[in-house]
Structure formats: structure tokens, C-alpha cells
Amino acid sequence: MMKNRKHIVLALLMALGLGASAQNGLNVPYSQYGIGLTNLPYNMPAVAAMGGVTYTSAANNSINPFNPASYAAIEKESFVFDMGFRADMSSQKDNSASLYDADGNLGYIAVGFPITRWWKTAFAILPLSDVSYESVQTATTVGADVRTRYEGDGGVSRMMWGHAFNLGKNLSLGFNANYLYGGITRGITYSFTTTDSSTVYMDSRRQKTTLVSNFSFDMGLQYFQPLGHDYELGIGLTAALPRTMMVKDNALAYTFVTYSGNEYMRDTIFPNPGEDAEYSSTLEQPLQLGMGLSFKKNNHWLVAIDGTYAPWSGLKYSDKNDLLGQSSMQYDDNLRFNLGFQLLGDLGATHYVRRITYSAGAHYESGRLRFVLADGNPYKLDEWGFGLGATLPMRKGRSLLNISASYSSLGTGDLLRHNCFSIGLSVSSSDSWFVKRKYN
């Protein structure tokens, strides 16, 4: 019990730290739209190695938050602790320039345990979206040169409490109650250098902070059907329920002057006298549907495929004041396909190398972002990528060390291409819990 209490305390401390470190330090211009970009489900190394396949994944020593029915695989009298790290190296390229960046952080943390023989529960915290960008644009106007700086940081995290129920020998059903929280700050600064002494321009800044604090729900089902003695067919279904949520925005627009390197506010542009700087905006979650199929030969190999559909990608954010200008991004139908393959290790093998599981996979996502170009034509940005990895068993297979390497590409060189290479490391363990010792 003392050892398991230490696991719980460690999980809580790491979860508190994840909320502060989940923001991505990479400079990703595409993250300025909506509530940012998401790395889900690829922030989990074991999932990234399989190309993002999740709907039919279930194990007794790891947590899969993307299909809550999978918690049913947790064994009785056991405690599962699952934690992962991720390091990203990215490049942004267009037809004229390129930029390289790197960052690393805690990817997720999760725990799970049984409540009864047929009822299992899990807790997890993981980043939902990241906002991190900074860019500068220069132009010339009447009597002055103007320097426009765009910047933003923050993100939204997801704290999850899930439940799964064994409805039969091979059938399970589950749901997640999710708490979405976080803050995003965006700003635009205009700096003028006067070229005509008869023209006067004031430097100005527009900034806005969006605070998210809402609940959402999703559910899942898994069914596994043996085919003879050596094969098994798996089916996974998921659904995220649609919901319109309110978020708090706090905005400010003002002019300022700079003396001796310090800025001093001069006049307030927004809010107007008598108005409140805080107002409400909407955040909409679409109905997201997912289906997965897997085919497994016992102790030999497994192949799985997932398909996901949503009326738009991620969460739809609508700002009624539009203080930072009209966005060219539009919300569109989103389709994602994931394909994964595993060469399963034999945990009973004498040689350790034969006990290792090797994974590979790929994914393709259509409609990740959609823009309206200057000529009025829409332009849809797709994403594709692949992953490789290995699962190293420890302690007779009850604990696992997952190592992954993955690559993804979003966008196009004509507009902007975001390439990201990631390395992941996760540890999953399953310990006995509430087992009475027969001997001291």
C-alpha cells in the first residue's frame, strides 16, 4: 500500500506540473487559429509508433484515453501507472525562407485501477491544444514605415475521469468526463518609424486573453471476437458528444509611447468608457465519430486501422468582438485515417530480444485547416505522417518501456509547410493492489 500511495502522490504532482508545461515552445504559425493546434493522439509514444491507431487498443498495463472502453482490460487488484515524454524538432518552410526550432515536455500522465470486477476507472491529464507563434511583418504606409508583430502563447489541457464496464466476456463500454482548462494570450503590436515629419503615428497594441474552463464528454465501445484458436477480430467505436461552451475573453487595445526603453500607455482604444474589458465567446465541440478494426494472430502480429470523422477539426472558437482582425481560416469537414502494424513479442521467450514488440504505422488527415486565399478560393491543408517504435518489457511483462520516433508534415511550400520530427518515451507499469499477504 505504501508503494501505491507513492505512485498516487507522484501522479498528482506530475499532473500539476503538466498543466504548466503542456504549452508547446515551438514557433508554429498555424497555431494562431482557433484554440491552437493539437498533437493528439500522437503525444503518446506507444500511439505515435502505431501511426495513431487507438480505437481497438486495450492492455492491462497501460491507459488508452481515446477509447474509454479500453479501461476494462485493467486486471482486478491492480494499479496502472502510465506516463510519457515527447521531444519535437520542427521546421517551417515556404518558397523564400525556413525556420528551425526544438522543444520537449511531459506528454501525458494517467493512472487506472478496478472498482469492482466489472467496473474500472482511470484518470489522465494531457494537452489538448498548443498556441505558440511569433512573426514580424514590415510595410510602408503614408509617411511612415510600419512594423507589425504577431505573437501568442498558451494552450488548453484536458483532465479526464473515465469509466469502463465489462458487459460480457468480450464486450466493454465506457465514457470519459473531461474538464477542459487553460489560457491563451494573443497580441498584435504596430510600431511606426516616421519618414515624413508632417505625419504623426502612435504605436499601438491589441491583446486578448482567452480563458477556458468547461466540461465535455465522450464514449466508446470495444468488442473482441476470437476466430478459431489463433486469431482475433477487434472492433472499436467512439463518439464525442457535440456541445456549445462559453469561454471568457479579456481584451485591451491601446496606444503607447516608449521612453528610455520603457513603454507607457497613452490612450485606451478598447474597451470604450463604461464598457467591460471582459466578455463571453463561444467554443463549440462537434460530434466526432470514430471506428477501428484490428486483426490479430496471437503472440505473432497485429494489424489495425482507424477512421475518424468530424464536421470540423478540433474546437470551433468564435469571438464576437473580432479585436485582432478577421481570420482567413474556416472550419471544414475533417477526415483522419490511421494504419498500424505490430510484430508482437513473446513474453515467455528465453531470449530478451524475442520479447520485444515492434510497431510501425502511418496517418493521413484531410481538412486539418482550411483557408480562403487572396483570390477568394479556398485552400485545404492536409497532414500526413508515419511512426516507428519498440515496446521493451520489464518485470515479466507487467511493466513496459515504449520508445517511438515519428514524423508529420502539415501544409504546403506555396503557403507554409510545418514539418515535425518527434521522439517519445513512456513508462507503463501495473502493480498488485490490495492483495492480502498470506505470510509476513
Side-chain angles (χ1 to χ4, degrees):
M1 275 298 297
M2 289 300 297
K3 182 170 64 173
N4 290 302
R5 287 175 182 172
K6 291 179 181 179
H7 279 315
I8 296 174
V9 173
L10 177 62
L12 292 174
L13 291 175
M14 296 295 284
L16 293 174
L18 179 60
S21 66
Q23 301 170 6
N24 196 335
L26 297 176
N27 185 5
V28 184
Y30 287 136
S31 68
Q32 65 183 292
Y33 303 104
I35 62 167
L37 287 181
T38 179
N39 288 322
L40 298 178
Y42 312 106
N43 61 307
M44 302 185 73
V47 176
M50 280 282 286
V53 171
T54 60
Y55 297 145
T56 56
S57 298
N60 62 357
N61 49 8
S62 63
I63 304 297
N64 172 21
F66 306 108
N67 189 339
S70 64
Y71 314 145
I74 298 175
E75 296 177 342
K76 63 177 183 179
E77 299 176 342
S78 64
F79 178 88
V80 179
F81 179 79
D82 198 353
M83 178 176 64
F85 301 86
R86 174 186 171 106
D88 298 321
M89 290 147 280
S90 75
S91 66
Q92 325 287 335
K93 295 183 179 181
D94 58 18
N95 290 328
S96 60
S98 60
L99 173 68
Y100 298 90
D101 204 353
D103 183 52
N105 50 51
L106 178 64
Y108 72 97
I109 188 167
V111 296
F113 52 88
I115 296 179
T116 68
R117 291 178 179 270
W118 50 269
W119 177 10
K120 317 295 173 62
T121 190
F123 299 87
I125 180 171
L126 60 163
L128 179 64
S129 70
D130 296 308
V131 174
S132 181
Y133 64 92
E134 181 178 349
S135 61
V136 175
Q137 184 179 20
T138 58
T140 300
T141 186
V142 178
D145 295 327
V146 58
R147 180 178 183 269
T148 306
R149 180 181 179 183
Y150 304 88
E151 56 186 334
D153 66 85
V156 178
S157 296
R158 170 189 173 194
M159 184 179 295
M160 178 214 81
W161 183 19
H163 301 267
F165 308 93
N166 295 96
L167 303 182
K169 183 178 180 181
N170 304 314
L171 177 65
S172 61
L173 179 69
F175 72 91
N176 287 327
N178 308 295
Y179 174 59
L180 312 180
Y181 68 96
I184 300 170
T185 300
R186 292 184 170 96
I188 304 177
T189 303
Y190 303 95
S191 303
F192 297 90
T193 302
T194 303
T195 58
D196 182 355
S197 59
S198 63
T199 305
V200 177
Y201 287 94
M202 295 293 298
D203 295 343
S204 64
R205 178 177 292 118
R206 301 179 182 185
Q207 63 184 40
K208 180 182 66 176
T209 298
T210 301
L211 298 177
V212 178
S213 179
N214 300 99
F215 289 93
S216 68
F217 303 89
D218 61 275
M219 60 184 65
L221 178 146
Q222 286 186 338
Y223 176 74
F224 298 96
Q225 176 61 51
L227 302 175
H229 296 289
D230 298 325
Y231 296 93
E232 181 183 76
L233 176 67
I235 300 174
L237 301 174
T238 64
L241 304 181
R243 191 164 188 269
T244 298
M245 300 169 280
M246 303 301 294
V247 298
K248 291 293 184 181
D249 282 323
N250 195 303
L252 180 64
Y254 60 93
T255 60
F256 64 92
V257 293
T258 304
Y259 292 113
S260 302
N262 297 318
E263 295 182 358
Y264 299 91
M265 185 184 297
R266 183 155 183 171
D267 296 311
T268 300
I269 302 172
F270 180 90
N272 295 319
E275 293 183 351
D276 196 344
E278 185 176 278
Y279 57 93
S280 296
S281 297
T282 59
L283 188 65
E284 297 177 64
Q285 175 177 281
L287 173 64
Q288 178 175 296
L289 301 174
M291 179 177 180
L293 295 173
S294 65
F295 189 64
K296 175 183 177 182
K297 184 176 182 181
N298 297 338
N299 299 322
H300 287 83
W301 50 262
L302 177 144
V303 61
I305 184 171
D306 284 355
T308 308
Y309 167 77
W312 60 80
S313 177
L315 297 171
K316 184 177 181 180
Y317 169 72
S318 301
D319 181 4
K320 68 176 184 180
N321 279 332
D322 196 23
L323 184 68
L324 300 183
Q326 182 66 37
S327 171
S328 61
M329 193 270 285
Q330 295 184 353
Y331 295 91
D332 202 357
D333 289 352
N334 177 247
L335 289 171
R336 189 181 79 225
F337 300 96
N338 307 87
L339 176 66
F341 175 80
Q342 280 188 326
L343 186 62
L344 302 176
D346 183 2
L347 296 180
T350 304
H351 298 288
Y352 181 78
V353 174
R354 295 179 57 190
R355 298 169 59 192
I356 300 175
T357 294
Y358 300 94
S359 304
H363 75 274
Y364 175 76
E365 190 165 349
S366 174
R368 184 71 181 268
L369 292 173
R370 182 174 181 265
F371 294 93
V372 177
L373 303 181
D375 58 7
N377 294 321
Y379 196 96
K380 184 181 291 188
L381 298 183
D382 299 337
E383 179 182 294
W384 61 271
F386 59 87
L388 299 169
T391 300
L392 310 177
M394 301 179 292
R395 298 180 55 196
K396 297 182 180 180
R398 298 200 67 184
S399 297
L400 303 173
L401 179 66
N402 297 291
I403 303 173
S404 70
S406 59
Y407 174 85
S408 64
S409 180
L410 170 65
T412 172
D414 294 333
L415 189 61
L416 180 69
R417 181 175 294 279
H418 170 67
N419 300 317
C420 186
F421 176 74
S422 302
I423 298 175
L425 176 68
S426 67
V427 178
S428 306
S429 67
S430 177
D431 292 326
S432 298
W433 201 20
F434 292 135
V435 176
K436 295 183 179 180
R437 297 182 181 273
K438 294 183 178 181
Y439 303 98
N440 291 324

CSV table of all heavy atoms in Angstrom, one decimal, residues 253-288:
chain,number,residue,atom,x,y,z
A,253,ALA,N,-7.0,47.2,-26.1
A,253,ALA,CA,-6.3,47.9,-27.2
A,253,ALA,C,-6.0,49.3,-26.8
A,253,ALA,O,-6.8,50.0,-26.2
A,253,ALA,CB,-7.2,47.9,-28.4
A,254,TYR,N,-4.7,49.7,-27.0
A,254,TYR,CA,-4.3,51.0,-26.5
A,254,TYR,C,-3.1,51.5,-27.4
A,254,TYR,O,-2.4,50.7,-28.1
A,254,TYR,CB,-3.9,50.9,-25.1
A,254,TYR,CG,-2.8,49.9,-24.8
A,254,TYR,CD1,-1.4,50.3,-24.8
A,254,TYR,CD2,-3.0,48.6,-24.6
A,254,TYR,CE1,-0.4,49.4,-24.5
A,254,TYR,CE2,-2.0,47.7,-24.3
A,254,TYR,CZ,-0.7,48.1,-24.3
A,254,TYR,OH,0.3,47.2,-24.0
A,255,THR,N,-2.8,52.8,-27.3
A,255,THR,CA,-1.6,53.4,-27.8
A,255,THR,C,-0.6,53.6,-26.7
A,255,THR,O,-1.0,53.7,-25.5
A,255,THR,CB,-1.9,54.7,-28.5
A,255,THR,OG1,-2.5,55.6,-27.5
A,255,THR,CG2,-2.9,54.5,-29.7
A,256,PHE,N,0.6,53.6,-27.1
A,256,PHE,CA,1.7,53.8,-26.1
A,256,PHE,C,2.9,54.5,-26.7
A,256,PHE,O,3.0,54.6,-27.9
A,256,PHE,CB,2.2,52.4,-25.6
A,256,PHE,CG,2.8,51.5,-26.6
A,256,PHE,CD1,4.2,51.5,-26.8
A,256,PHE,CD2,2.0,50.7,-27.4
A,256,PHE,CE1,4.8,50.7,-27.7
A,256,PHE,CE2,2.7,49.8,-28.3
A,256,PHE,CZ,4.0,49.9,-28.5
A,257,VAL,N,3.7,55.0,-25.8
A,257,VAL,CA,4.9,55.7,-26.2
A,257,VAL,C,6.1,55.0,-25.4
A,257,VAL,O,5.9,54.4,-24.4
A,257,VAL,CB,4.9,57.2,-25.8
A,257,VAL,CG1,3.9,58.0,-26.7
A,257,VAL,CG2,4.6,57.4,-24.3
A,258,THR,N,7.3,55.1,-26.0
A,258,THR,CA,8.4,54.5,-25.4
A,258,THR,C,9.5,55.5,-25.1
A,258,THR,O,9.9,56.4,-25.9
A,258,THR,CB,9.0,53.5,-26.4
A,258,THR,OG1,8.0,52.5,-26.8
A,258,THR,CG2,10.2,52.7,-25.8
A,259,TYR,N,9.9,55.5,-23.8
A,259,TYR,CA,10.9,56.4,-23.3
A,259,TYR,C,12.0,55.6,-22.6
A,259,TYR,O,11.7,54.8,-21.7
A,259,TYR,CB,10.4,57.5,-22.3
A,259,TYR,CG,9.5,58.5,-23.0
A,259,TYR,CD1,8.2,58.5,-22.6
A,259,TYR,CD2,10.0,59.4,-23.9
A,259,TYR,CE1,7.3,59.5,-23.2
A,259,TYR,CE2,9.2,60.4,-24.5
A,259,TYR,CZ,7.8,60.4,-24.1
A,259,TYR,OH,7.0,61.3,-24.7
A,260,SER,N,13.2,55.7,-23.0
A,260,SER,CA,14.4,55.0,-22.4
A,260,SER,C,14.2,53.5,-22.3
A,260,SER,O,14.5,52.9,-21.2
A,260,SER,CB,14.6,55.6,-21.0
A,260,SER,OG,14.9,57.0,-21.0
A,261,GLY,N,13.6,53.0,-23.3
A,261,GLY,CA,13.3,51.5,-23.3
A,261,GLY,C,12.1,51.0,-22.6
A,261,GLY,O,11.8,49.8,-22.6
A,262,ASN,N,11.4,51.9,-22.0
A,262,ASN,CA,10.2,51.5,-21.2
A,262,ASN,C,8.9,52.0,-22.0
A,262,ASN,O,8.9,53.1,-22.6
A,262,ASN,CB,10.2,52.1,-19.8
A,262,ASN,CG,11.3,51.6,-19.0
A,262,ASN,OD1,11.6,50.4,-19.0
A,262,ASN,ND2,12.0,52.4,-18.2
A,263,GLU,N,7.9,51.2,-21.9
A,263,GLU,CA,6.6,51.6,-22.6
A,263,GLU,C,5.6,52.2,-21.6
A,263,GLU,O,5.5,51.7,-20.5
A,263,GLU,CB,6.0,50.3,-23.2
A,263,GLU,CG,6.8,49.7,-24.4
A,263,GLU,CD,6.1,48.6,-25.0
A,263,GLU,OE1,5.0,48.2,-24.5
A,263,GLU,OE2,6.6,48.0,-26.0
A,264,TYR,N,4.9,53.2,-22.0
A,264,TYR,CA,3.9,53.9,-21.2
A,264,TYR,C,2.6,54.0,-22.0
A,264,TYR,O,2.6,54.5,-23.1
A,264,TYR,CB,4.4,55.3,-20.8
A,264,TYR,CG,5.7,55.2,-20.0
A,264,TYR,CD1,6.9,55.3,-20.6
A,264,TYR,CD2,5.7,55.1,-18.6
A,264,TYR,CE1,8.1,55.3,-19.9
A,264,TYR,CE2,6.8,55.1,-17.8
A,264,TYR,CZ,8.1,55.2,-18.5
A,264,TYR,OH,9.2,55.1,-17.8
A,265,MET,N,1.6,53.4,-21.4
A,265,MET,CA,0.3,53.5,-22.1
A,265,MET,C,-0.2,55.0,-22.2
A,265,MET,O,-0.1,55.7,-21.2
A,265,MET,CB,-0.8,52.7,-21.3
A,265,MET,CG,-2.1,52.6,-22.0
A,265,MET,SD,-3.4,51.7,-21.0
A,265,MET,CE,-2.7,50.1,-20.9
A,266,ARG,N,-0.8,55.3,-23.3
A,266,ARG,CA,-1.3,56.6,-23.5
A,266,ARG,C,-2.8,56.7,-23.6
A,266,ARG,O,-3.4,57.4,-22.7
A,266,ARG,CB,-0.7,57.2,-24.8
A,266,ARG,CG,-1.0,58.7,-25.1
A,266,ARG,CD,0.0,59.4,-25.9
A,266,ARG,NE,-0.3,60.8,-26.1
A,266,ARG,CZ,0.5,61.7,-26.6
A,266,ARG,NH1,1.7,61.3,-27.0
A,266,ARG,NH2,0.1,62.9,-26.7
A,267,ASP,N,-3.4,56.1,-24.6
A,267,ASP,CA,-4.9,56.2,-24.7
A,267,ASP,C,-5.4,54.8,-24.9
A,267,ASP,O,-4.8,53.9,-25.6
A,267,ASP,CB,-5.3,57.0,-25.9
A,267,ASP,CG,-4.8,58.5,-25.8
A,267,ASP,OD1,-5.1,59.1,-24.7
A,267,ASP,OD2,-4.2,59.0,-26.7
A,268,THR,N,-6.6,54.6,-24.3
A,268,THR,CA,-7.3,53.3,-24.5
A,268,THR,C,-8.2,53.3,-25.6
A,268,THR,O,-9.1,54.2,-25.7
A,268,THR,CB,-8.0,52.9,-23.2
A,268,THR,OG1,-7.1,52.9,-22.1
A,268,THR,CG2,-8.7,51.6,-23.3
A,269,ILE,N,-8.1,52.3,-26.5
A,269,ILE,CA,-9.0,52.2,-27.7
A,269,ILE,C,-10.1,51.3,-27.4
A,269,ILE,O,-11.3,51.6,-27.8
A,269,ILE,CB,-8.2,51.7,-28.9
A,269,ILE,CG1,-7.0,52.7,-29.2
A,269,ILE,CG2,-9.1,51.6,-30.1
A,269,ILE,CD1,-6.1,52.1,-30.3
A,270,PHE,N,-9.8,50.2,-26.7
A,270,PHE,CA,-10.9,49.2,-26.3
A,270,PHE,C,-10.5,48.8,-24.9
A,270,PHE,O,-9.3,48.5,-24.6
A,270,PHE,CB,-10.9,48.0,-27.2
A,270,PHE,CG,-12.0,47.0,-26.9
A,270,PHE,CD1,-13.3,47.1,-27.3
A,270,PHE,CD2,-11.6,46.0,-26.0
A,270,PHE,CE1,-14.2,46.2,-27.0
A,270,PHE,CE2,-12.6,45.0,-25.6
A,270,PHE,CZ,-13.9,45.1,-26.1
A,271,PRO,N,-11.5,48.7,-24.0
A,271,PRO,CA,-12.9,49.0,-24.1
A,271,PRO,C,-13.2,50.5,-24.1
A,271,PRO,O,-12.4,51.3,-23.6
A,271,PRO,CB,-13.5,48.3,-22.9
A,271,PRO,CG,-12.4,48.3,-21.9
A,271,PRO,CD,-11.1,48.2,-22.6
A,272,ASN,N,-14.4,50.8,-24.6
A,272,ASN,CA,-14.8,52.2,-24.5
A,272,ASN,C,-15.2,52.6,-23.1
A,272,ASN,O,-15.4,51.7,-22.3
A,272,ASN,CB,-16.0,52.4,-25.5
A,272,ASN,CG,-15.7,52.2,-26.9
A,272,ASN,OD1,-14.6,52.6,-27.4
A,272,ASN,ND2,-16.6,51.5,-27.7
A,273,PRO,N,-15.2,53.8,-22.8
A,273,PRO,CA,-15.6,54.3,-21.4
A,273,PRO,C,-16.9,53.7,-21.0
A,273,PRO,O,-17.9,53.7,-21.8
A,273,PRO,CB,-15.6,55.8,-21.6
A,273,PRO,CG,-14.7,56.1,-22.7
A,273,PRO,CD,-14.8,55.0,-23.7
A,274,GLY,N,-16.9,53.1,-19.9
A,274,GLY,CA,-18.1,52.5,-19.3
A,274,GLY,C,-18.3,51.0,-19.7
A,274,GLY,O,-19.3,50.4,-19.2
A,275,GLU,N,-17.5,50.5,-20.6
A,275,GLU,CA,-17.6,49.1,-21.1
A,275,GLU,C,-16.7,48.3,-20.3
A,275,GLU,O,-15.7,48.7,-19.7
A,275,GLU,CB,-17.4,49.0,-22.6
A,275,GLU,CG,-18.4,49.7,-23.5
A,275,GLU,CD,-18.1,49.5,-24.9
A,275,GLU,OE1,-17.0,48.9,-25.2
A,275,GLU,OE2,-19.0,49.8,-25.8
A,276,ASP,N,-17.0,47.0,-20.3
A,276,ASP,CA,-16.1,46.0,-19.6
A,276,ASP,C,-15.1,45.3,-20.5
A,276,ASP,O,-15.5,45.0,-21.7
A,276,ASP,CB,-17.0,44.9,-18.9
A,276,ASP,CG,-16.3,44.1,-17.9
A,276,ASP,OD1,-15.0,44.2,-17.8
A,276,ASP,OD2,-16.9,43.4,-17.1
A,277,ALA,N,-13.9,45.2,-20.1
A,277,ALA,CA,-12.9,44.5,-20.9
A,277,ALA,C,-13.1,43.0,-21.0
A,277,ALA,O,-12.6,42.4,-21.9
A,277,ALA,CB,-11.5,44.8,-20.4
A,278,GLU,N,-13.9,42.5,-20.2
A,278,GLU,CA,-14.2,41.0,-20.2
A,278,GLU,C,-15.6,40.8,-20.8
A,278,GLU,O,-16.5,41.4,-20.6
A,278,GLU,CB,-14.2,40.5,-18.8
A,278,GLU,CG,-14.3,39.0,-18.7
A,278,GLU,CD,-14.2,38.4,-17.3
A,278,GLU,OE1,-13.1,38.3,-16.8
A,278,GLU,OE2,-15.3,38.2,-16.6
A,279,TYR,N,-15.6,39.8,-21.7
A,279,TYR,CA,-16.8,39.4,-22.4
A,279,TYR,C,-16.8,37.9,-22.7
A,279,TYR,O,-15.8,37.2,-22.5
A,279,TYR,CB,-17.1,40.2,-23.6
A,279,TYR,CG,-15.9,40.1,-24.6
A,279,TYR,CD1,-16.0,39.1,-25.7
A,279,TYR,CD2,-14.8,40.9,-24.6
A,279,TYR,CE1,-14.9,39.0,-26.6
A,279,TYR,CE2,-13.8,40.8,-25.5
A,279,TYR,CZ,-13.9,39.8,-26.5
A,279,TYR,OH,-12.8,39.7,-27.4
A,280,SER,N,-17.9,37.3,-23.1
A,280,SER,CA,-18.0,35.9,-23.3
A,280,SER,C,-18.0,35.6,-24.8
A,280,SER,O,-18.6,36.3,-25.6
A,280,SER,CB,-19.3,35.3,-22.7
A,280,SER,OG,-19.3,35.5,-21.3
A,281,SER,N,-17.3,34.5,-25.2
A,281,SER,CA,-17.3,34.0,-26.5
A,281,SER,C,-17.7,32.5,-26.5
A,281,SER,O,-17.9,32.0,-25.4
A,281,SER,CB,-15.9,34.1,-27.2
A,281,SER,OG,-15.6,35.5,-27.3
A,282,THR,N,-17.8,31.9,-27.7
A,282,THR,CA,-18.3,30.5,-27.7
A,282,THR,C,-17.2,29.6,-28.2
A,282,THR,O,-16.4,30.0,-29.0
A,282,THR,CB,-19.5,30.4,-28.6
A,282,THR,OG1,-19.2,30.8,-29.9
A,282,THR,CG2,-20.7,31.2,-28.1
A,283,LEU,N,-17.3,28.4,-27.7
A,283,LEU,CA,-16.4,27.3,-28.1
A,283,LEU,C,-17.2,26.1,-28.3
A,283,LEU,O,-17.9,25.6,-27.4
A,283,LEU,CB,-15.3,27.0,-27.0
A,283,LEU,CG,-14.2,26.1,-27.3
A,283,LEU,CD1,-13.3,26.6,-28.4
A,283,LEU,CD2,-13.4,25.8,-26.0
A,284,GLU,N,-17.3,25.6,-29.6
A,284,GLU,CA,-18.2,24.5,-30.0
A,284,GLU,C,-17.4,23.3,-30.2
A,284,GLU,O,-16.3,23.3,-30.9
A,284,GLU,CB,-18.9,24.9,-31.2
A,284,GLU,CG,-19.9,26.1,-31.1
A,284,GLU,CD,-20.5,26.4,-32.4
A,284,GLU,OE1,-21.3,25.6,-32.9
A,284,GLU,OE2,-20.3,27.5,-32.9
A,285,GLN,N,-17.8,22.2,-29.7
A,285,GLN,CA,-17.3,20.9,-29.9
A,285,GLN,C,-18.2,20.1,-30.9
A,285,GLN,O,-19.4,20.0,-30.6
A,285,GLN,CB,-17.1,20.1,-28.7
A,285,GLN,CG,-16.6,18.6,-28.9
A,285,GLN,CD,-16.4,17.9,-27.6
A,285,GLN,OE1,-15.4,18.0,-26.9
A,285,GLN,NE2,-17.4,17.0,-27.2
A,286,PRO,N,-17.7,19.6,-32.0
A,286,PRO,CA,-18.6,18.9,-33.0
A,286,PRO,C,-18.8,17.5,-32.5
A,286,PRO,O,-18.2,17.0,-31.6
A,286,PRO,CB,-17.7,18.9,-34.3
A,286,PRO,CG,-16.3,18.9,-33.8
A,286,PRO,CD,-16.3,19.7,-32.5
A,287,LEU,N,-19.8,16.8,-33.2
A,287,LEU,CA,-20.0,15.4,-33.0
A,287,LEU,C,-18.9,14.7,-33.7
A,287,LEU,O,-18.8,14.8,-35.0
A,287,LEU,CB,-21.3,15.0,-33.5
A,287,LEU,CG,-21.6,13.5,-33.6
A,287,LEU,CD1,-21.6,12.9,-32.2
A,287,LEU,CD2,-22.9,13.1,-34.3
A,288,GLN,N,-18.0,14.0,-33.0
A,288,GLN,CA,-16.9,13.3,-33.6
A,288,GLN,C,-17.1,11.8,-33.5
A,288,GLN,O,-17.4,11.3,-32.4
A,288,GLN,CB,-15.6,13.7,-33.0
A,288,GLN,CG,-14.4,12.9,-33.5
A,288,GLN,CD,-13.1,13.4,-32.9
A,288,GLN,OE1,-12.6,14.6,-33.1
A,288,GLN,NE2,-12.4,12.5,-32.2
